[in-house]
Amino acid sequence: MSEIENRTEDGFKDFIGESKALRRVLDDIETVAPTGSTVLIYGETGTGKELIARSLHSLSSRRANAFVRLNCAAIPAGLLESELFGHEKGAFTGAVAQRAGRFELADRGTIFLDEIGEIPLELQPKLLRVLQEREFERLGGMRTLRSDARLVAATNRDLKAMVDEQKFRSDLYYRLDVFPIRVPPLRERAEDIPLLVRRFVQQFSERNNRMIDTILSETMEALIRYHWPGNIRELQNVVERSVIISKGATLMVALDELRADEGLKTNQSCEALQQILSETERTQILRALERSNWVIAGPKGAAARLGIKRTTLQSRMQRLGIRLLRTPVTQSPALPSATSNEADGRVLEWPNRNPPHSDREPELWHPAYA
């Protein structure tokens, strides 16, 4: 039995695993839960942020009172203020009765605001006020109300970057970031996957009246290797689907789907990386050509500036769509002759990387025309 499973009496009965990454999170929960301080949970989608929020509540002195949850991303911006702070009758069209908001309902308990990065800028000052002063007014109301609710917030976004981009108030950010807890993605705690799989198999077998007691080593190894972009939620869904399609006592997982998805991700990553490298190389070559007055060869040419052979540079230019300059159809007196152009190796770059009008002689670009 894992260390975490031994801590069930302390409010960790729903956490499965024994990795160091998960233990650090549980240590943070045990440290901050009794204090009543604001907690900001960072983590990718599907990592169990709400589970951590519930544990913070159950381990606090507020556990006898309400735990109120609100997903800020699921509520339209125009209705979010009413959801948080309530409204009076007639405050807006459709407000046929007075309604208490989430902060009012969570008084002396815990309010969990998931996806807090989605709260509109115009509503953030009112949230800051209730955190600092513990008071607010219902929408359409004049009476000031108080709430002794503890706030636990969660996000999968980089709030500090949002502050720098002026998409999130800095004063609210620092008021929220009192005690941050960072939840590791499942790929960083792969040693917990076998424990999670067994727990989910047991759970869904009982729910679907199945008797599955065998998991092949090949299956478990594939599940451990997979990158799990959807984290624990995705693993849970895969196991539930596998339990449903399994006909006997052995868990049958559609490994081809995982491999195909892994291969697609790998190909996409490789293609994106190759594109970045090509663009970087292209930029460096063009910069060297400009500094050398579009001369390839010679001690002051672009090849020498780049530290490569002339033939190597010409090969890369051809691959990247940077072409040798030829004499335009209509010769401009300001331009050098064809002979001197070919001798000093001047070049042109097509904006779309391919010469237009392939059925006829193209019009050429030269720095003198720019």
Side-chain angles (χ1 to χ4, degrees):
M1 184 175 291
S2 71
E3 175 189 352
I4 293 170
E5 289 173 329
N6 284 329
R7 300 160 84 171
T8 54
E9 294 182 358
D10 299 327
F12 293 104
K13 59 185 176 62
D14 293 322
F15 289 90
I16 310 299
E18 51 189 11
S19 64
K20 290 182 179 180
L22 183 57
R23 290 178 186 178
R24 284 194 295 268
V25 171
L26 300 187
D27 288 342
D28 286 343
I29 294 174
E30 286 184 319
T31 299
V32 74
T35 67
S37 297
T38 300
V39 178
L40 181 57
I41 306 171
Y42 292 94
E44 297 178 5
T45 298
T47 51
K49 297 188 289 294
E50 182 177 349
L51 187 60
I52 292 174
R54 291 185 180 278
S55 293
L56 288 167
H57 176 70
S58 65
L59 291 171
S60 74
S61 59
R62 300 168 178 263
R63 57 183 171 272
N65 299 310
F67 176 86
V68 179
R69 175 188 180 277
L70 179 66
N71 187 332
C72 300
I75 307 298
L79 299 177
L80 190 55
E81 181 178 359
S82 172
E83 286 290 332
L84 288 171
F85 306 111
H87 62 255
E88 299 290 348
K89 180 180 179 180
F92 53 85
T93 302
V96 296
Q98 184 188 81
R99 182 184 179 188
R102 303 300 174 99
F103 272 98
E104 194 171 347
L105 296 173
D107 185 31
R108 293 182 295 176
T110 302
I111 181 169
F112 174 52
L113 298 184
D114 198 5
E115 306 296 350
I116 198 166
E118 305 302 323
I119 292 183
L121 272 171
E122 59 270 19
L123 186 55
Q124 292 178 20
K126 195 165 185 178
L127 177 59
L128 179 64
R129 180 191 173 202
V130 76
L131 292 179
Q132 291 180 334
E133 309 297 335
R134 301 286 184 179
E135 60 183 30
F136 62 95
E137 289 83 31
R138 296 193 189 108
L139 186 62
M142 301 295 293
R143 186 164 61 97
T144 298
L145 305 175
R146 297 188 60 83
S147 174
D148 181 28
R150 179 195 193 173
L151 175 64
V152 178
T155 182
N156 59 9
R157 304 181 66 179
D158 186 346
L159 294 186
K160 186 64 173 66
M162 293 180 66
V163 169
D164 295 339
E165 297 169 1
Q166 298 185 345
K167 296 180 179 178
F168 200 86
R169 289 178 62 101
S170 60
D171 48 4
L172 178 58
Y173 167 73
Y174 290 115
R175 186 65 185 81
L176 292 171
D177 200 41
V178 176
F179 194 95
I181 295 179
R182 304 187 187 279
V183 189
L186 186 55
R187 60 182 174 274
E188 293 181 7
R189 42 179 292 217
E191 59 267 44
D192 291 338
I193 291 178
L195 292 172
L196 288 163
V197 170
R198 294 188 184 100
R199 172 63 66 88
F200 292 149
V201 168
Q202 178 184 9
Q203 174 185 336
F204 293 118
S205 294
E206 293 175 356
R207 184 179 300 177
N208 293 280
N209 296 319
R210 302 293 176 88
M211 292 292 294
I212 297 177
D213 54 16
T214 303
I215 304 173
L216 299 177
S217 58
E218 176 190 2
T219 298
M220 189 64 77
E221 289 172 3
L223 294 174
I224 293 173
R225 287 195 305 268
Y226 184 59
H227 62 286
W228 300 110
N231 294 291
I232 297 175
R233 186 180 297 126
E234 183 184 5
L235 174 62
Q236 188 175 21
N237 292 341
V238 167
V239 173
E240 181 177 10
R241 183 165 62 250
S242 301
V243 168
I244 292 173
I245 66 175
S246 298
K247 302 301 181 183
T250 301
L251 183 71
M252 303 301 295
V253 179
L255 298 180
D256 291 342
E257 295 181 7
L258 298 182
R259 291 168 182 151
D261 187 55
E262 185 72 45
L264 178 61
K265 287 280 185 182
T266 301
N267 290 338
Q268 290 175 342
S269 299
C270 291
E271 290 173 2
L273 178 60
Q274 186 60 45
Q275 182 178 358
I276 292 171
L277 293 174
S278 296
E279 292 293 341
T280 302
E281 183 180 23
R282 196 165 190 272
T283 300
Q284 291 176 341
I285 290 175
L286 288 172
R287 185 178 294 118
L289 288 167
E290 290 172 357
R291 290 176 178 175
S292 63
N293 196 26
W294 303 88
V295 175
I296 294 178
K300 296 183 179 180
R305 288 179 178 272
L306 293 169
I308 59 178
K309 295 180 180 180
R310 175 181 58 82
T311 54
T312 301
L313 176 55
Q314 289 173 331
S315 175
R316 293 182 182 179
M317 287 165 53
Q318 183 178 4
R319 174 169 56 84
L320 295 170
I322 305 173
R323 301 175 182 274
L324 287 173
L325 179 66
R326 292 179 293 160
T327 307
V329 177
T330 303
Q331 178 68 41
S332 169
L335 294 178
S337 65
T339 303
S340 61
N341 284 339
E342 293 174 356
D344 63 14
R346 295 176 183 268
V347 299
L348 66 88
E349 178 199 4
W350 295 108
N352 62 358
R353 303 188 187 180
N354 294 308
H357 312 299
S358 58
D359 57 338
R360 62 182 177 87
E361 185 70 16
E363 296 179 0
L364 302 182
W365 177 91
H366 187 278
Y369 288 138

